[in-house]
Amino acid sequence: MLEALRLDGPPRRVAIVTGGSRGLGREMARSLMLAGAEVCIASRTPAQLEATAAFLAEQSGREPLTVATDITSSAECDRLIEATVERFGRLDIMVNNAGIGDSPGRGKAVWEIEDEDWLGGIAVNLNGTFYCTRAALRHMRPQGSGAILNIASGMGMRATPQSPTYAAAKAGVINFTQTVASAVARDGIRVNCITPGLVEQRPTETEEEAEAIRKRGSYITARRLGQAWELGPLALFLCSDASSYVTGANYPIDGGGLAGGIAPTGHAPDEVEARTDG
């Protein structure tokens, strides 16, 4: 079983992680590299890419490829995939992680959202997943193998009146996962989705910030927020041969937030303690 989680081959797997310079993306890239994969990390910020590349090299003993990429541009997504294949000779894993939670229009009611808010939010949270998937499939289909992992959100699975654009985009990611999985299963390619809940993406800097995190975590069934590293093992499972019979699936990792129905959606419970302890 443990061997099925290895990505060092032969052949050694090659992975791309968008949004790989920080938070969830950095931790998923780390897990893939520690399992033996060659990894390309992509984001819009060269300075963050360089810092994360140094961190990953120290952790794994190998240098990741870095490609500055704006995933809202189909041309840049094509260039990302081509640069990775040129460097490593193949592409086995595509992790579509890049997105933005504070997307344009967040906090506005549906009737207040401007066209540019809607189009901007869809561009970064849905279009990029499509662009990178399309480009990756052009290499995976001829080789007859591959794994694509999309990152959605629990907001795409429930009403989210405080962020309609983001919720719609992430719901689209979940359906897109199922649709593409059905289309490419016969090509030996698996497509799955992770749906994170509320996750701490960086260490807290002040006691006030830590207290706010603890309070927010009290709404979750597990009574805490998730940690970014906790997505790494699940991502590795879904990108490795250990999940060879898994495709078209969506895996919530949210401390029971969706199951418990308490996670904030604009309607906070009156007494969290009474509801969770009773």
Side-chain angles (χ1 to χ4, degrees):
M1 180 192 71
L2 295 179
E3 285 299 313
L5 289 165
R6 296 298 307 172
L7 300 175
D8 49 6
R12 187 185 295 273
R13 309 292 173 84
V14 175
I16 296 173
V17 181
T18 66
S21 65
R22 61 192 178 104
L24 306 184
R26 188 181 86 151
E27 289 302 315
M28 289 188 285
R30 183 170 75 98
S31 289
L32 297 178
M33 290 196 76
L34 290 176
E38 299 287 5
V39 172
C40 171
I41 55 173
S43 79
R44 294 181 297 178
T45 312
Q48 286 184 352
L49 283 173
E50 292 176 10
T52 298
F55 167 78
L56 294 175
E58 181 181 3
Q59 291 274 305
S60 69
R62 298 189 313 284
E63 292 281 345
L65 175 64
T66 63
V67 180
T69 306
D70 179 356
I71 61 163
T72 66
S73 164
S74 63
E76 291 199 24
C77 291
D78 289 344
R79 181 176 59 84
L80 166 64
I81 275 69
E82 293 300 330
T84 303
V85 173
E86 181 178 352
R87 167 73 175 272
F88 298 114
R90 59 187 292 122
L91 177 62
D92 302 284
I93 297 165
M94 181 74 235
V95 181
N96 290 306
N97 168 68
I100 179 168
D102 291 326
S103 59
R106 181 177 177 84
K108 293 183 180 180
V110 173
W111 54 91
E112 298 172 333
I113 295 174
E114 302 289 344
D115 289 357
E116 56 267 28
D117 295 334
W118 179 264
L119 295 174
I122 296 298
V124 69
N125 289 309
L126 179 57
N127 290 356
T129 295
F130 164 66
Y131 294 148
C132 288
T133 296
R134 179 178 62 183
L137 288 174
R138 290 169 179 161
H139 290 277
M140 291 179 175
R141 290 185 68 248
Q143 74 188 21
S145 64
I148 297 174
L149 180 61
N150 299 324
I151 309 303
S153 166
M155 292 185 182
M157 297 179 66
R158 64 188 303 168
T160 311
Q162 68 269 34
S163 192
T165 307
Y166 183 76
K170 290 303 185 179
V173 168
I174 294 169
N175 184 273
F176 183 66
T177 298
Q178 298 168 331
T179 297
V180 179
S182 297
V184 300
R186 293 186 180 182
D187 296 310
I189 301 166
R190 300 181 299 104
V191 189
N192 291 293
C193 185
I194 290 177
T195 294
L198 299 175
V199 177
E200 285 189 72
Q201 306 241 2
R202 60 174 177 78
T204 56
E205 298 178 353
T206 66
E207 180 54 37
E208 291 77 10
E209 188 179 10
E211 177 57 29
I213 291 293
R214 285 191 291 269
K215 183 176 180 180
R216 201 174 190 195
S218 70
Y219 287 82
I220 308 302
T221 304
R223 303 302 297 276
R224 67 175 177 87
L225 268 62
Q227 301 292 318
W229 72 265
E230 291 177 298
L231 271 76
L234 179 56
L236 173 59
F237 168 70
L238 291 171
C239 292
S240 72
D241 290 342
S243 60
S244 58
Y245 195 52
V246 180
T247 194
N250 178 30
Y251 282 75
I253 178 168
D254 64 354
L258 286 168
I262 297 178
T265 61
H267 303 281
D270 294 328
E271 296 182 9
V272 174
E273 293 293 332
R275 294 195 183 191
T276 55
D277 292 343

